[in-house]
Amino acid sequence: MDTNYLKTFLAAAQSNSFSKAAEQVHLTQPAVSKRIGLLEEELGIKLFDRVGRQVALTEAGEVFQLRARQLINELDQTLSDMRSLDTEAGGTLSIGISHHLGLHRLPPLLREFSQQNPKVSLDIDFMDSEKAHEQVLSGDIEMAAITFSSEPSEKITSLRLWRDRLCFVVSKEHELASQAKVDLESLSQQPCLLPSTATYTGRIIRNCFEAEKLSLTPVLNTNYMETLARMAEIGLGWSVVPETLANHPDLVHLDVPVELHRDLGIIYNNQRTQSRAAKAFLNCLTSSDPSSRAPDL
C-alpha cells in the first residue's frame, strides 16, 4: 500500500474536502480523487460518501482513519530512528504553541533547546490551546505548549511549567478603579471583555461567576489575551488577564475576593512513541535552570 495514498486519505478525512486536501498534499483535486478511488478499490470498501461537492467519512472510513494515522506515525518514527542513530537528536519536532505562551513564556526555552540540539528542526504551529490539545490527542502533532484543560485525558501526559495568576483589571478612568474592593455581583453588572467560553481560560472565569449564580454579558469575546488587555486599557470594560499583561501603567488591579489561576506547560500523547527530538525537548525542559524561565505568578 502506497503511503502517499494514506497521507492523501488522511488529509481528505481531516478537512472533509478533496479540494482542501489537494492544497495540503500539493496535488490537483482530480489526482486526490483518483488516489482515494484506488485506495478504496485496493481495500474493497467505501471510505467516503460523496454528496455534491461535500465528502464525509463512512463508518469504515472512520475506522480506517485511526489505523492509517497509526501506520503513518509508526513509519515516521522508524524513519526518524534510522536517521538519528547517532547520540545527537535530529529530525523534526512538530509542536503546537498557544499564542500567549509563544509570546511571553517559551522563547527562552526554545532558544536553549535549539542551541543544545542544532540538528533538530522545529515545526511550530501557533494555535489555540483547545485545538492543540485535540491535535496531540489525535497524534497530528507530537506535543504542545498550552493552557491545561480542566478535563484531562488519560492519553495525555501534562508537564506543568507555570501557574499563571489571572487578574481582574480596568482602565484608570473606569468607575471601579477607585473602589477599595469590588465583589463579583458588582462586576456582573458592568460591561466586560472576556475570553470565549470555548477556551479553557474562558471557562475558568465563567465558572467563577456561575458558582455565585451570576450571569455575564461581554461586549467583546476574543481568544487573544493581549487584545483583552488593550481593550481594557481604553476603557471598554473590565477584563481578566494574566499578570504578565496586567502590570501596565494604564491598568488598575481590582481587589476581588476570588483567586483565579490557570496551569501552563507541555502536553504529549503517552500512547505515541516519542521521537528523539521530542525526548530531547522534554529533557531540556526538565533540566533547564528555573531562573531561565519566566517566574510563576
Side-chain angles (χ1 to χ4, degrees):
M1 185 176 294
D2 192 327
T3 56
N4 288 324
Y5 285 19
L6 293 180
K7 292 178 179 179
T8 301
F9 162 75
L10 288 173
Q14 185 174 3
S15 62
N16 288 324
S17 168
F18 285 2
S19 59
K20 290 181 180 179
E23 295 176 6
Q24 185 175 334
V25 298
H26 308 294
L27 292 172
T28 64
Q29 183 173 338
V32 168
S33 297
K34 183 176 180 180
R35 281 190 175 184
I36 298 298
L38 290 172
L39 186 58
E40 288 178 323
E41 184 178 332
E42 181 177 354
L43 294 171
I45 56 175
K46 187 178 181 181
L47 298 172
F48 289 96
D49 284 325
R50 300 160 177 83
V51 181
R53 294 185 177 182
Q54 301 296 316
V55 296
L57 286 171
T58 63
E59 183 178 2
E62 294 277 3
V63 174
F64 186 68
Q65 182 185 23
L66 297 175
R67 300 292 186 267
R69 184 176 286 122
Q70 290 172 356
L71 287 170
I72 293 299
N73 286 341
E74 289 176 6
L75 176 61
D76 288 345
Q77 178 61 46
T78 299
L79 293 175
S80 177
D81 288 344
M82 294 303 99
R83 293 167 183 159
S84 307
L85 290 177
D86 56 4
T87 56
E88 189 172 4
T92 299
L93 174 62
S94 57
I95 179 170
I97 300 178
S98 72
H99 301 88
H100 182 76
L101 277 169
L103 289 173
H104 300 281
R105 297 286 194 171
L106 271 186
L109 293 174
L110 292 173
R111 180 178 63 245
E112 181 181 349
F113 173 74
S114 295
Q115 290 172 345
Q116 294 177 1
N117 301 274
K119 291 187 178 181
V120 175
S121 174
L122 288 172
D123 179 14
I124 296 174
D125 193 353
F126 286 91
M127 63 182 77
D128 292 341
S129 293
E130 297 72 30
K131 180 180 178 182
H133 185 279
E134 289 304 314
Q135 291 205 7
V136 170
L137 195 59
S138 66
D140 291 331
I141 56 178
E142 282 204 80
M143 57 180 56
I146 64 169
T147 300
F148 289 166
S149 170
S150 59
E151 300 174 356
S153 165
E154 62 180 13
K155 296 181 180 179
I156 295 292
T157 295
S158 302
L159 173 62
R160 197 193 79 164
L161 298 178
W162 305 280
R163 173 152 285 190
D164 217 13
R165 181 187 171 200
L166 299 173
C167 301
F168 291 84
V169 295
V170 292
S171 72
K172 293 189 296 185
E173 290 76 26
H174 196 282
E175 63 180 270
L176 295 177
S178 60
Q179 296 190 20
K181 291 184 179 295
V182 181
D183 58 29
L184 293 180
E185 184 174 2
S186 297
L187 285 173
S188 70
Q189 297 168 6
Q190 294 279 346
C192 57
L193 320 163
L194 297 176
S196 164
T197 53
T199 68
Y200 300 143
T201 305
R203 291 172 203 160
I204 291 172
I205 300 167
R206 293 281 187 158
N207 290 343
C208 169
F209 283 85
E210 288 177 358
E212 300 297 323
K213 296 182 172 53
L214 298 172
S215 60
L216 296 171
T217 308
V219 298
L220 172 67
N221 282 124
T222 177
N223 295 353
Y224 298 99
M225 306 303 292
E226 290 75 13
T227 301
L228 292 175
R230 299 295 82 80
M231 294 301 100
E233 286 172 23
I234 64 174
L236 292 188
W238 63 266
S239 188
V240 179
V241 298
E243 194 165 18
T244 47
L245 298 176
N247 295 325
H248 189 279
D250 292 328
L251 288 175
V252 173
H253 289 224
L254 297 178
D255 187 357
V256 181
V258 293
E259 285 288 336
L260 298 182
H261 68 268
R262 58 183 187 171
D263 289 334
L264 313 175
I266 299 294
I267 65 168
Y268 60 90
N269 192 321
N270 53 46
Q271 297 187 342
R272 172 177 176 169
T273 303
Q274 292 177 354
S275 66
R276 295 195 177 196
K279 292 177 181 177
F281 188 66
L282 290 173
N283 182 63
C284 176
L285 295 178
T286 55
S287 63
S288 65
D289 181 357
S291 64
S292 67
R293 307 179 194 167
D296 282 2
L297 299 173

